[in-house]
Amino acid sequence: TAWLAGAVDRPLWIGLMALLCLAVAAGRVKLHPDTSRDFLLARDCVELNRCHDFGPPTSVRGLWQGTGWTALLSICARMGMGPVSIQLLLLLGQAGSVALLAMLVKRWISRAAALPSAASWMLILAVMGDATVLWNPSPSALPLVITAGSLLLLARTRRTSMALFAGVGVGILTSCHLAFAVLIPPAFALCVLAGARPMLALTLAGTAVVGILFALSRSMVDMNLAQLGQGAVLPVVGICLLGSVGAAAALRKRWRGAGPQTRNVVVGLVCLIPGVAAVAVFTLATGREPPARYWLPAAPFLCVFFGWAIANVRRYARGFRHLAWLATAAMVIATLTMAGRNESWSYSDVREV
């Protein structure tokens, strides 16, 4: 029992557990219906050398996705990888994100919080993030944890280099799925709020985001800006971005006296508020309920808070000594039973579509 307790407390074993659970939950290769179109775009890039710098249309009329997903498919096609190999590659990335989150929580939050935080992230990937389905949000797990970890470390250590990692993560995420653009304002605001050299941190993050988007998805940026500029949306977005950065600059003095736990909570709230606002705007604009994956930008912070809460309950209430184990077991079972229930098709079905 002692050996088992020590083993599952290590991020490597947690990642292997997540890989096994996600692989079992995946069952067979599953593709979203739009993936057949994405494979055609990747084939055009590989065979016809006709690589587009904008992706497929989004759920919001007039807005377009980036090319992060189709670029990954093109690279895999050049290497001779099929859908099964791509699925295994994505599962490795998702399991790596679980292990990385466990390592960050164990090092900077609490050792007892690592396992429940990682297990809750695995469950969210399988149920909300559609980790077992092969489509454009699938590669987002690892960049999302890198972004969240960079912002948390920026708040705790004030290292300016963390702003660069956060900017790279946000740029890759936005290029894969446009919904992750809601992380741009909180990332810039936290660079100004927590960075030891705020202007340098903001410059590094902004350069990374803009550079990656223009390198991968130049036309996507131009078309989306043109579409948003037709109404009052673009000025509102600019005002919100400048307002968040200005508010962060005004609160820097108070931030210096905040404790580690307070900083963790503030980072989570700062990244949660834009996501809630974006979901509300999506609901009002389209008149329908947004997909569950639109909550993913704030999910790593919620997982960290969940693990921290479980660790504190276990610490102060002796009757809940095994609460972390019970919560982890429940989330593993939920991952195995609930993943893949979303509408999906097998590879042969997608070819017919």
Side-chain angles (χ1 to χ4, degrees), residues 21 214 225:
C21 292
F214 272 78
L225 289 178

Side-chain angles (χ1 to χ4, degrees), residues 197-218:
R197 302 172 64 182
M199 292 308 299
L200 178 59
L202 181 61
T203 302
L204 289 175
T207 303
V209 172
V210 174
I212 289 176
L213 289 179
F214 272 78
L216 294 177
S217 312
R218 174 67 180 271

Side-chain angles (χ1 to χ4, degrees), residues 4-306:
L4 180 62
V8 299
D9 192 35
R10 298 174 182 174
L12 177 60
W13 289 104
I14 293 176
L16 291 176
M17 175 196 70
L19 178 61
L20 177 63
C21 292
L22 292 173
V24 172
R28 60 175 184 167
V29 176
K30 297 178 180 179
L31 303 179
H32 193 273
D34 294 343
T35 309
S36 56
R37 173 204 57 203
D38 299 335
F39 272 110
L40 291 177
L41 293 175
R43 187 197 65 179
D44 289 345
C45 183
V46 174
E47 297 181 0
L48 305 178
N49 200 23
R50 198 166 58 206
C51 302
H52 304 283
D53 54 356
F54 63 93
T58 67
S59 302
V60 180
R61 182 178 299 178
L63 297 182
W64 296 81
Q65 302 283 8
T67 59
W69 169 238
T70 52
L72 176 62
L73 291 180
S74 301
I75 294 173
C76 293
R78 293 181 188 277
M79 298 174 62
M81 298 174 62
V84 176
S85 301
I86 297 173
Q87 177 77 326
L88 292 176
L89 178 64
L90 293 176
L91 288 177
L92 285 173
Q94 291 154 4
S97 72
V98 174
L100 179 60
L101 183 66
M103 182 179 68
L104 292 172
V105 172
K106 180 180 178 181
R107 173 66 177 85
W108 296 100
I109 307 298
S110 169
R111 181 173 182 175
L115 186 60
S117 296
S120 60
W121 175 239
M122 177 186 67
L123 176 61
I124 287 176
L125 285 179
V127 178
M128 291 176 56
D130 295 325
T132 59
V133 181
L134 202 59
W135 62 330
N136 58 327
S138 302
S140 61
L142 190 57
L144 186 54
V145 172
I146 291 175
T147 303
S150 300
L151 294 176
L152 287 171
L153 290 180
L154 177 65
R156 294 290 293 268
T157 64
R158 304 186 66 194
R159 295 176 183 171
T160 306
S161 59
M162 293 296 104
L164 179 61
F165 289 106
V168 170
V170 172
I172 295 175
L173 288 170
T174 306
S175 182
C176 288
H177 201 278
L178 191 61
F180 290 103
V182 298
L183 286 173
I184 294 177
F188 288 178
L190 288 171
C191 288
V192 175
L193 179 65
R197 302 172 64 182
M199 292 308 299
L200 178 59
L202 181 61
T203 302
L204 289 175
T207 303
V209 172
V210 174
I212 289 176
L213 289 179
F214 272 78
L216 294 177
S217 312
R218 174 67 180 271
S219 294
M220 180 271 288
V221 176
D222 295 338
M223 291 189 298
N224 287 342
L225 289 178
Q227 178 66 24
L228 295 175
Q230 293 180 2
V233 179
L234 189 59
V236 171
V237 172
I239 292 173
C240 292
L241 182 60
L242 293 176
S244 62
V245 173
L251 294 174
R252 274 184 60 85
K253 292 183 179 180
R254 294 188 178 183
W255 178 262
R256 295 173 184 173
Q261 299 299 341
T262 302
R263 295 188 176 191
N264 294 336
V265 173
V266 170
V267 171
L269 289 176
V270 168
C271 293
L272 178 63
I273 292 174
V276 174
V279 168
V281 171
F282 177 88
T283 304
L284 293 175
T286 62
R288 64 179 188 269
E289 184 180 353
R293 64 182 180 275
Y294 281 28
W295 296 98
L296 273 181
F301 305 98
L302 297 178
C303 293
V304 171
F305 178 77
F306 173 76

